[in-house]
Amino acid sequence: MKVDLANLNAFVAVARAGGFREGARASGSSASALSEAVRRLEAQLGVRLLNRTTRSVVPTEAGEGLLQRLGPALTEVEAALDVVNGFRDKPTGSLRLNVPVSAARLVLPRIVPPFLAAYPDIRLEIITEDSFVDVIAAGCDAGIRYDERLEQDMIAVPIGPRVQRFATAASPAYLDRHGRPRHPRELLGHACLRSRFSSGVMTSWEFERNGDVLRVDPTGPLLVRAGGGTDLAIEAAIAGVGVIYLFEDWLRPYLDSGALEPVLEPWWPRFSGPFLYYPGRRLVPAPLRAFIDFIKES
């Protein structure tokens, strides 16, 4: 039986994304085109591959079996095409990166513009995600994460600054009213602006000095979603609502302008910078290889 490869790709895009609209965004197609392609495939095979409801689209038992076998096969097809692509003077194609908001804000602005200028035939898509996801299942070529969050069987390449710090800060007006903490434990008596990840986790504020590591869980009047709500928390800190704890690089413009004042700077902890990571069990697509080589040379 001869089956159109485009119809198979449409089915995989929808099944992996969990919906026609989501699959359209991931594949760069339209929802109606994907729906028609899947309909043609089901008609040709004579079996329903997807159960469709108003709220979700999930593979049937037959669809799940087909998806499990198709995924590796289509990956090999893409890799084979990328081998041909490698013979071009300039790589072409799409590159999808899954990155935390912090990397999109602090790391990529120095990399993306010159990369796209060097490779005008590459279409780069950045998907911001602060929860830990399987980049391959999410339809991405690679991701950016910090070392403690890397998946197994992944190749990691340093990207961006190799050492970063978390910083604590507040507005001068707030500190004039409530005092300047001299020890991290004093933050328990201050109004602190916290953030929570989409997973529900709210991490402790960590401090370090002369090898002494201390974690505190202060409370305060504002809780925001990590990443998406960060700018709101910064504005609240500038307005004098409370103390904020965030990447130093994110706060640096406000520290330099005087809008925020450093708090407990001798205790600011250092940590290693982020990594670009990608699966090492298959050929690297040409756009991703170009990106890897670019950041290595930067």
Side-chain angles (χ1 to χ4, degrees), residues 98-151:
N98 185 287
V99 310
V101 174
S102 57
R105 178 70 176 262
L106 304 176
V107 175
L108 291 182
R110 299 181 182 88
I111 296 173
V112 167
F115 172 74
L116 293 178
Y119 297 96
D121 295 325
I122 291 178
R123 177 178 177 268
L124 179 61
E125 182 177 357
I126 304 297
I127 301 168
T128 56
E129 178 70 64
D130 277 296
S131 60
F132 190 48
V133 300
D134 182 333
V135 294
I136 304 305
C140 296
D141 299 292
I144 295 178
R145 289 294 184 271
Y146 288 84
D147 54 356
E148 71 271 15
R149 302 180 66 187
L150 294 181
E151 295 179 1

Side-chain angles (χ1 to χ4, degrees), residues 187 192-194 203-207 214-216 218 243 245:
L187 291 172
C192 293
L193 313 178
R194 302 296 304 273
T203 58
S204 300
W205 288 10
E206 184 174 295
F207 298 90
L214 183 66
R215 294 177 179 86
V216 297
V243 182
Y245 179 89

